[in-house]
Amino acid sequence: MLIRSVETFILRVPLGGKTFYSSQAKFPERNSLLVRITTDDGIVGWGEGGQYGPPEPVASVIGDVFAPLLVGQPADRPVVTSERLYAFSRDFGQKGTYVEAISAIDIAMWDIWGKRLGQPVHALMGGAFRTSVHAYATGCYYPEAPWDRDRLLPDLEAEAATYVESGFDILKMKIGLLSVEEDMARVAAVRRAVGPDIRLLVDCNHAYNANTAIRIGRELEKFGVHWIEEPVVPEDRAGYQRVRAAVSVPVAGGEAEFTRFGFRDFLSEGCVDIAQPDICVCGGLSEFLKIQALASAFGVLTVPHVWGSGVALAAALQALATIPPQPHTANPVALQNEPIVEFDRKHNPLRDDLLVENFSLRDGRLDVPQGPGLGITVDEAVLRKYAAA
Ligand SMILES: [Mg+2]
């Protein structure tokens, strides 16, 4: 079974009136870079590379650099292929676009291998600890500017309440765009809306320097927050250490880190309590296995970051199935020692429309796809509708 073709698809959906902000940027659209690898015996594998960065450079690396190396090569050995692609691009691509391109190819090759053997990817990765994963809602972003200060808190409270009503008991909200005082008022509003029993996470998207993050972390302790995500920029490992040493709120991060080498430094320097590799960013499922092994050796729970299309979510669920409780107990508790899955609740047709299958919450959980490979079917008509290139 050899690789016959490697094709890329850039998908874009403008969000129109549903535009939102994190601390870093406005999100006027959803975009995804998908790769489709076809074998000489007709098996098709899908992968996704990158998160919200521009998809064009990732498409170029796949199409112009890697595809010529892949065509005619065996299609059933993702680990070997990913190692070779990384070795090829090491001198100029240790982080960023090249690793995102490898991630997409790697995911597609696991999909092919699973389809070839008639097994779900998680079975090939060594087996599943769970068939469904406790989900958390990501929401409570910022609306489009200019902000109506009088509506900000009431709208936020109403939004937070909808997540509880739909069955979530863990909610992640965004902070970092406004002043510390305004953002703490937002956290207070969400806590007020959801009550004391909902576990609340906050995501700064690296908005702060370490001293501001520490000030905020101490405020968050009062609201019973269960993690503070990306408090400082990913390059500032000393800043991560300072935040982690100064506040009792667990520190999460890693969505902007790459490969086992990046995570080796991130973990060995004591930056985080929760490691968040993104499967479409960190090097794919092959690299995820190595990162997760490292994290477990450091006593750190891995909770993959999830963004992108339904392909990305399916890959994340396959990975999540394989994460051992960290540490083992006879009764694993979600987030405490049992991984959870990020389920972003902002409008995303690339996740909700692209696949024949549906991801829907059942008792607060998402099922791990059980079909061969990633266990998903891309709807080619929807693919054409959103394909910009
Ligand atoms: Mg994040």
mmCIF file of all heavy atoms in Angstrom, residues 118-153:
data_model
loop_
_atom_site.group_PDB
_atom_site.id
_atom_site.type_symbol
_atom_site.label_atom_id
_atom_site.label_comp_id
_atom_site.label_asym_id
_atom_site.label_seq_id
_atom_site.Cartn_x
_atom_site.Cartn_y
_atom_site.Cartn_z
ATOM 1 N N GLY A 118 -9.044 -2.013 9.588
ATOM 2 C CA GLY A 118 -10.409 -2.086 10.107
ATOM 3 C C GLY A 118 -10.488 -1.811 11.597
ATOM 4 O O GLY A 118 -11.369 -2.326 12.288
ATOM 5 N N GLN A 119 -9.573 -0.967 12.081
ATOM 6 C CA GLN A 119 -9.512 -0.670 13.520
ATOM 7 C C GLN A 119 -9.531 0.849 13.748
ATOM 8 O O GLN A 119 -8.960 1.595 12.952
ATOM 9 C CB GLN A 119 -8.195 -1.200 14.107
ATOM 10 C CG GLN A 119 -8.063 -2.706 14.101
ATOM 11 C CD GLN A 119 -8.943 -3.357 15.150
ATOM 12 O OE1 GLN A 119 -9.141 -2.795 16.229
ATOM 13 N NE2 GLN A 119 -9.483 -4.517 14.842
ATOM 14 N N PRO A 120 -10.138 1.285 14.854
ATOM 15 C CA PRO A 120 -10.035 2.711 15.178
ATOM 16 C C PRO A 120 -8.593 3.066 15.568
ATOM 17 O O PRO A 120 -7.843 2.202 16.043
ATOM 18 C CB PRO A 120 -10.980 2.876 16.375
ATOM 19 C CG PRO A 120 -11.125 1.521 16.958
ATOM 20 C CD PRO A 120 -10.928 0.540 15.839
ATOM 21 N N VAL A 121 -8.239 4.319 15.348
ATOM 22 C CA VAL A 121 -6.870 4.758 15.621
ATOM 23 C C VAL A 121 -6.463 4.476 17.063
ATOM 24 O O VAL A 121 -5.333 4.058 17.336
ATOM 25 C CB VAL A 121 -6.730 6.261 15.268
ATOM 26 C CG1 VAL A 121 -5.494 6.860 15.909
ATOM 27 C CG2 VAL A 121 -6.676 6.444 13.752
ATOM 28 N N HIS A 122 -7.391 4.689 18.008
ATOM 29 C CA HIS A 122 -7.000 4.490 19.416
ATOM 30 C C HIS A 122 -6.598 3.041 19.686
ATOM 31 O O HIS A 122 -5.755 2.781 20.564
ATOM 32 C CB HIS A 122 -8.104 4.966 20.375
ATOM 33 C CG HIS A 122 -9.423 4.265 20.201
ATOM 34 N ND1 HIS A 122 -9.679 3.016 20.686
ATOM 35 C CD2 HIS A 122 -10.565 4.674 19.596
ATOM 36 C CE1 HIS A 122 -10.918 2.687 20.399
ATOM 37 N NE2 HIS A 122 -11.487 3.659 19.731
ATOM 38 N N ALA A 123 -7.159 2.091 18.938
ATOM 39 C CA ALA A 123 -6.758 0.686 19.120
ATOM 40 C C ALA A 123 -5.314 0.501 18.660
ATOM 41 O O ALA A 123 -4.521 -0.198 19.316
ATOM 42 C CB ALA A 123 -7.689 -0.239 18.342
ATOM 43 N N LEU A 124 -4.962 1.154 17.546
ATOM 44 C CA LEU A 124 -3.584 1.036 17.048
ATOM 45 C C LEU A 124 -2.589 1.744 17.960
ATOM 46 O O LEU A 124 -1.408 1.401 17.989
ATOM 47 C CB LEU A 124 -3.471 1.638 15.637
ATOM 48 C CG LEU A 124 -4.440 1.112 14.580
ATOM 49 C CD1 LEU A 124 -4.127 1.731 13.228
ATOM 50 C CD2 LEU A 124 -4.389 -0.398 14.492
ATOM 51 N N MET A 125 -3.066 2.757 18.683
ATOM 52 C CA MET A 125 -2.184 3.502 19.585
ATOM 53 C C MET A 125 -1.935 2.755 20.894
ATOM 54 O O MET A 125 -1.184 3.221 21.741
ATOM 55 C CB MET A 125 -2.785 4.885 19.888
ATOM 56 C CG MET A 125 -2.796 5.815 18.681
ATOM 57 S SD MET A 125 -3.772 7.322 18.964
ATOM 58 C CE MET A 125 -2.664 8.280 19.992
ATOM 59 N N GLY A 126 -2.604 1.615 21.048
ATOM 60 C CA GLY A 126 -2.348 0.822 22.246
ATOM 61 C C GLY A 126 -3.581 0.506 23.049
ATOM 62 O O GLY A 126 -3.508 -0.200 24.050
ATOM 63 N N GLY A 127 -4.727 1.052 22.609
ATOM 64 C CA GLY A 127 -5.972 0.732 23.295
ATOM 65 C C GLY A 127 -6.529 1.911 24.068
ATOM 66 O O GLY A 127 -5.820 2.872 24.361
ATOM 67 N N ALA A 128 -7.806 1.799 24.394
ATOM 68 C CA ALA A 128 -8.537 2.919 24.998
ATOM 69 C C ALA A 128 -8.765 2.704 26.487
ATOM 70 O O ALA A 128 -9.117 1.604 26.916
ATOM 71 C CB ALA A 128 -9.879 3.084 24.298
ATOM 72 N N PHE A 129 -8.576 3.766 27.253
ATOM 73 C CA PHE A 129 -8.957 3.760 28.665
ATOM 74 C C PHE A 129 -10.428 4.108 28.836
ATOM 75 O O PHE A 129 -10.979 3.936 29.914
ATOM 76 C CB PHE A 129 -8.111 4.760 29.453
ATOM 77 C CG PHE A 129 -6.718 4.270 29.732
ATOM 78 C CD1 PHE A 129 -5.696 4.532 28.839
ATOM 79 C CD2 PHE A 129 -6.444 3.538 30.874
ATOM 80 C CE1 PHE A 129 -4.410 4.077 29.089
ATOM 81 C CE2 PHE A 129 -5.162 3.073 31.129
ATOM 82 C CZ PHE A 129 -4.140 3.337 30.239
ATOM 83 N N ARG A 130 -11.036 4.670 27.777
ATOM 84 C CA ARG A 130 -12.428 5.132 27.895
ATOM 85 C C ARG A 130 -13.042 5.176 26.497
ATOM 86 O O ARG A 130 -12.303 5.339 25.508
ATOM 87 C CB ARG A 130 -12.476 6.511 28.574
ATOM 88 C CG ARG A 130 -11.646 7.540 27.880
ATOM 89 C CD ARG A 130 -11.382 8.772 28.738
ATOM 90 N NE ARG A 130 -10.502 8.507 29.879
ATOM 91 C CZ ARG A 130 -9.167 8.396 29.797
ATOM 92 N NH1 ARG A 130 -8.548 8.500 28.632
ATOM 93 N NH2 ARG A 130 -8.439 8.153 30.881
ATOM 94 N N THR A 131 -14.346 5.026 26.420
ATOM 95 C CA THR A 131 -15.025 5.102 25.124
ATOM 96 C C THR A 131 -15.728 6.446 24.937
ATOM 97 O O THR A 131 -16.236 6.732 23.854
ATOM 98 C CB THR A 131 -16.059 3.977 24.984
ATOM 99 O OG1 THR A 131 -16.964 4.059 26.092
ATOM 100 C CG2 THR A 131 -15.391 2.617 24.976
ATOM 101 N N SER A 132 -15.783 7.235 25.995
ATOM 102 C CA SER A 132 -16.295 8.598 25.876
ATOM 103 C C SER A 132 -15.479 9.469 26.826
ATOM 104 O O SER A 132 -14.820 8.951 27.739
ATOM 105 C CB SER A 132 -17.788 8.665 26.208
ATOM 106 O OG SER A 132 -18.006 8.326 27.561
ATOM 107 N N VAL A 133 -15.507 10.771 26.586
ATOM 108 C CA VAL A 133 -14.658 11.682 27.356
ATOM 109 C C VAL A 133 -15.511 12.804 27.940
ATOM 110 O O VAL A 133 -16.338 13.398 27.226
ATOM 111 C CB VAL A 133 -13.554 12.296 26.454
ATOM 112 C CG1 VAL A 133 -12.581 13.127 27.290
ATOM 113 C CG2 VAL A 133 -12.793 11.195 25.708
ATOM 114 N N HIS A 134 -15.299 13.079 29.206
ATOM 115 C CA HIS A 134 -15.985 14.176 29.891
ATOM 116 C C HIS A 134 -15.635 15.484 29.173
ATOM 117 O O HIS A 134 -14.461 15.790 28.985
ATOM 118 C CB HIS A 134 -15.504 14.221 31.348
ATOM 119 C CG HIS A 134 -16.345 15.063 32.249
ATOM 120 N ND1 HIS A 134 -17.118 14.525 33.248
ATOM 121 C CD2 HIS A 134 -16.533 16.402 32.307
ATOM 122 C CE1 HIS A 134 -17.744 15.499 33.890
ATOM 123 N NE2 HIS A 134 -17.404 16.652 33.341
ATOM 124 N N ALA A 135 -16.645 16.236 28.763
ATOM 125 C CA ALA A 135 -16.397 17.433 27.940
ATOM 126 C C ALA A 135 -16.469 18.704 28.781
ATOM 127 O O ALA A 135 -17.228 18.783 29.750
ATOM 128 C CB ALA A 135 -17.423 17.510 26.818
ATOM 129 N N TYR A 136 -15.668 19.680 28.392
ATOM 130 C CA TYR A 136 -15.844 21.018 28.977
ATOM 131 C C TYR A 136 -16.174 22.011 27.879
ATOM 132 O O TYR A 136 -15.722 21.883 26.740
ATOM 133 C CB TYR A 136 -14.641 21.448 29.806
ATOM 134 C CG TYR A 136 -13.366 21.855 29.085
ATOM 135 C CD1 TYR A 136 -13.156 23.179 28.692
ATOM 136 C CD2 TYR A 136 -12.354 20.948 28.835
ATOM 137 C CE1 TYR A 136 -11.967 23.577 28.083
ATOM 138 C CE2 TYR A 136 -11.169 21.323 28.221
ATOM 139 C CZ TYR A 136 -10.983 22.646 27.842
ATOM 140 O OH TYR A 136 -9.817 23.034 27.225
ATOM 141 N N ALA A 137 -17.000 22.984 28.239
ATOM 142 C CA ALA A 137 -17.404 24.015 27.282
ATOM 143 C C ALA A 137 -16.367 25.121 27.271
ATOM 144 O O ALA A 137 -15.951 25.596 28.332
ATOM 145 C CB ALA A 137 -18.759 24.590 27.679
ATOM 146 N N THR A 138 -15.930 25.515 26.081
ATOM 147 C CA THR A 138 -15.160 26.749 25.950
ATOM 148 C C THR A 138 -16.085 27.793 25.364
ATOM 149 O O THR A 138 -16.681 27.575 24.301
ATOM 150 C CB THR A 138 -13.941 26.558 25.031
ATOM 151 O OG1 THR A 138 -13.064 25.600 25.619
ATOM 152 C CG2 THR A 138 -13.185 27.869 24.853
ATOM 153 N N GLY A 139 -16.222 28.891 26.063
ATOM 154 C CA GLY A 139 -17.103 29.965 25.600
ATOM 155 C C GLY A 139 -16.758 31.236 26.342
ATOM 156 O O GLY A 139 -15.632 31.404 26.817
ATOM 157 N N CYS A 140 -17.754 32.131 26.467
ATOM 158 C CA CYS A 140 -17.535 33.382 27.194
ATOM 159 C C CYS A 140 -16.300 34.115 26.670
ATOM 160 O O CYS A 140 -15.424 34.526 27.435
ATOM 161 C CB CYS A 140 -17.470 33.139 28.696
ATOM 162 S SG CYS A 140 -18.989 32.454 29.374
ATOM 163 N N TYR A 141 -16.225 34.218 25.343
ATOM 164 C CA TYR A 141 -15.230 35.064 24.686
ATOM 165 C C TYR A 141 -15.698 36.513 24.838
ATOM 166 O O TYR A 141 -16.636 36.808 25.580
ATOM 167 C CB TYR A 141 -15.153 34.712 23.195
ATOM 168 C CG TYR A 141 -14.530 33.374 22.859
ATOM 169 C CD1 TYR A 141 -15.196 32.180 23.111
ATOM 170 C CD2 TYR A 141 -13.282 33.296 22.243
ATOM 171 C CE1 TYR A 141 -14.639 30.960 22.783
ATOM 172 C CE2 TYR A 141 -12.720 32.081 21.901
ATOM 173 C CZ TYR A 141 -13.400 30.915 22.179
ATOM 174 O OH TYR A 141 -12.844 29.701 21.844
ATOM 175 N N TYR A 142 -15.078 37.391 24.061
ATOM 176 C CA TYR A 142 -15.519 38.795 24.038
ATOM 177 C C TYR A 142 -16.300 39.026 22.748
ATOM 178 O O TYR A 142 -15.920 38.530 21.688
ATOM 179 C CB TYR A 142 -14.310 39.732 24.041
ATOM 180 C CG TYR A 142 -13.434 39.581 25.265
ATOM 181 C CD1 TYR A 142 -12.405 38.647 25.287
ATOM 182 C CD2 TYR A 142 -13.641 40.374 26.390
ATOM 183 C CE1 TYR A 142 -11.596 38.500 26.394
ATOM 184 C CE2 TYR A 142 -12.830 40.231 27.502
ATOM 185 C CZ TYR A 142 -11.811 39.297 27.499
ATOM 186 O OH TYR A 142 -11.014 39.146 28.593
ATOM 187 N N PRO A 143 -17.387 39.810 22.845
ATOM 188 C CA PRO A 143 -18.120 40.131 21.616
ATOM 189 C C PRO A 143 -17.321 41.126 20.777
ATOM 190 O O PRO A 143 -16.306 41.664 21.227
ATOM 191 C CB PRO A 143 -19.411 40.759 22.138
ATOM 192 C CG PRO A 143 -19.053 41.308 23.479
ATOM 193 C CD PRO A 143 -17.972 40.422 24.038
ATOM 194 N N GLU A 144 -17.811 41.357 19.592
ATOM 195 C CA GLU A 144 -17.130 42.297 18.696
ATOM 196 C C GLU A 144 -17.146 43.711 19.282
ATOM 197 O O GLU A 144 -18.151 44.159 19.835
ATOM 198 C CB GLU A 144 -17.814 42.293 17.329
ATOM 199 C CG GLU A 144 -17.079 43.155 16.320
ATOM 200 C CD GLU A 144 -17.373 42.755 14.880
ATOM 201 O OE1 GLU A 144 -18.403 42.113 14.635
ATOM 202 O OE2 GLU A 144 -16.558 43.076 14.019
ATOM 203 N N ALA A 145 -15.996 44.414 19.134
ATOM 204 C CA ALA A 145 -15.900 45.803 19.574
ATOM 205 C C ALA A 145 -16.714 46.697 18.623
ATOM 206 O O ALA A 145 -16.942 46.294 17.475
ATOM 207 C CB ALA A 145 -14.437 46.221 19.576
ATOM 208 N N PRO A 146 -17.138 47.890 19.045
ATOM 209 C CA PRO A 146 -16.943 48.473 20.374
ATOM 210 C C PRO A 146 -17.868 47.820 21.397
ATOM 211 O O PRO A 146 -18.993 47.466 21.070
ATOM 212 C CB PRO A 146 -17.315 49.942 20.154
ATOM 213 C CG PRO A 146 -18.297 49.912 19.019
ATOM 214 C CD PRO A 146 -17.889 48.768 18.133
ATOM 215 N N TRP A 147 -17.359 47.664 22.619
ATOM 216 C CA TRP A 147 -18.119 46.946 23.631
ATOM 217 C C TRP A 147 -19.090 47.865 24.335
ATOM 218 O O TRP A 147 -18.721 48.976 24.766
ATOM 219 C CB TRP A 147 -17.162 46.302 24.645
ATOM 220 C CG TRP A 147 -16.256 45.342 23.958
ATOM 221 C CD1 TRP A 147 -16.588 44.155 23.391
ATOM 222 C CD2 TRP A 147 -14.852 45.523 23.723
ATOM 223 N NE1 TRP A 147 -15.491 43.567 22.814
ATOM 224 C CE2 TRP A 147 -14.406 44.374 23.012
ATOM 225 C CE3 TRP A 147 -13.926 46.506 24.045
ATOM 226 C CZ2 TRP A 147 -13.086 44.216 22.618
ATOM 227 C CZ3 TRP A 147 -12.611 46.343 23.654
ATOM 228 C CH2 TRP A 147 -12.199 45.211 22.942
ATOM 229 N N ASP A 148 -20.288 47.370 24.464
ATOM 230 C CA ASP A 148 -21.291 48.070 25.258
ATOM 231 C C ASP A 148 -21.097 47.621 26.697
ATOM 232 O O ASP A 148 -21.478 46.521 27.074
ATOM 233 C CB ASP A 148 -22.695 47.692 24.727
ATOM 234 C CG ASP A 148 -23.801 48.337 25.529
ATOM 235 O OD1 ASP A 148 -23.503 48.920 26.596
ATOM 236 O OD2 ASP A 148 -24.965 48.257 25.091
ATOM 237 N N ARG A 149 -20.450 48.489 27.480
ATOM 238 C CA ARG A 149 -20.091 48.118 28.863
ATOM 239 C C ARG A 149 -21.327 47.724 29.683
ATOM 240 O O ARG A 149 -21.224 46.926 30.606
ATOM 241 C CB ARG A 149 -19.387 49.296 29.530
ATOM 242 C CG ARG A 149 -17.864 49.268 29.693
ATOM 243 C CD ARG A 149 -17.050 48.815 28.544
ATOM 244 N NE ARG A 149 -15.636 48.661 28.902
ATOM 245 C CZ ARG A 149 -14.649 48.669 28.021
ATOM 246 N NH1 ARG A 149 -14.904 48.809 26.736
ATOM 247 N NH2 ARG A 149 -13.398 48.497 28.416
ATOM 248 N N ASP A 150 -22.464 48.288 29.349
ATOM 249 C CA ASP A 150 -23.669 47.956 30.136
ATOM 250 C C ASP A 150 -24.181 46.547 29.818
ATOM 251 O O ASP A 150 -24.848 45.929 30.635
ATOM 252 C CB ASP A 150 -24.793 48.967 29.835
ATOM 253 C CG ASP A 150 -24.422 50.357 30.325
ATOM 254 O OD1 ASP A 150 -23.600 50.440 31.270
ATOM 255 O OD2 ASP A 150 -24.922 51.350 29.760
ATOM 256 N N ARG A 151 -23.870 46.047 28.613
ATOM 257 C CA ARG A 151 -24.364 44.725 28.217
ATOM 258 C C ARG A 151 -23.371 43.606 28.515
ATOM 259 O O ARG A 151 -23.722 42.429 28.543
ATOM 260 C CB ARG A 151 -24.663 44.690 26.701
ATOM 261 C CG ARG A 151 -25.823 45.546 26.220
ATOM 262 C CD ARG A 151 -27.165 45.191 26.826
ATOM 263 N NE ARG A 151 -27.365 43.762 27.070
ATOM 264 C CZ ARG A 151 -28.187 43.283 27.991
ATOM 265 N NH1 ARG A 151 -28.861 44.107 28.770
ATOM 266 N NH2 ARG A 151 -28.339 41.987 28.147
ATOM 267 N N LEU A 152 -22.093 43.991 28.688
ATOM 268 C CA LEU A 152 -21.028 43.000 28.773
ATOM 269 C C LEU A 152 -21.309 41.932 29.846
ATOM 270 O O LEU A 152 -21.288 40.732 29.563
ATOM 271 C CB LEU A 152 -19.702 43.717 29.063
ATOM 272 C CG LEU A 152 -18.427 43.201 28.424
ATOM 273 C CD1 LEU A 152 -18.584 42.928 26.940
ATOM 274 C CD2 LEU A 152 -17.274 44.168 28.678
ATOM 275 N N LEU A 153 -21.591 42.378 31.069
ATOM 276 C CA LEU A 153 -21.767 41.406 32.150
ATOM 277 C C LEU A 153 -23.096 40.656 32.063
ATOM 278 O O LEU A 153 -23.112 39.423 32.178
ATOM 279 C CB LEU A 153 -21.585 42.077 33.507
ATOM 280 C CG LEU A 153 -20.178 42.659 33.773
ATOM 281 C CD1 LEU A 153 -20.058 43.127 35.219
ATOM 282 C CD2 LEU A 153 -19.074 41.679 33.450
#
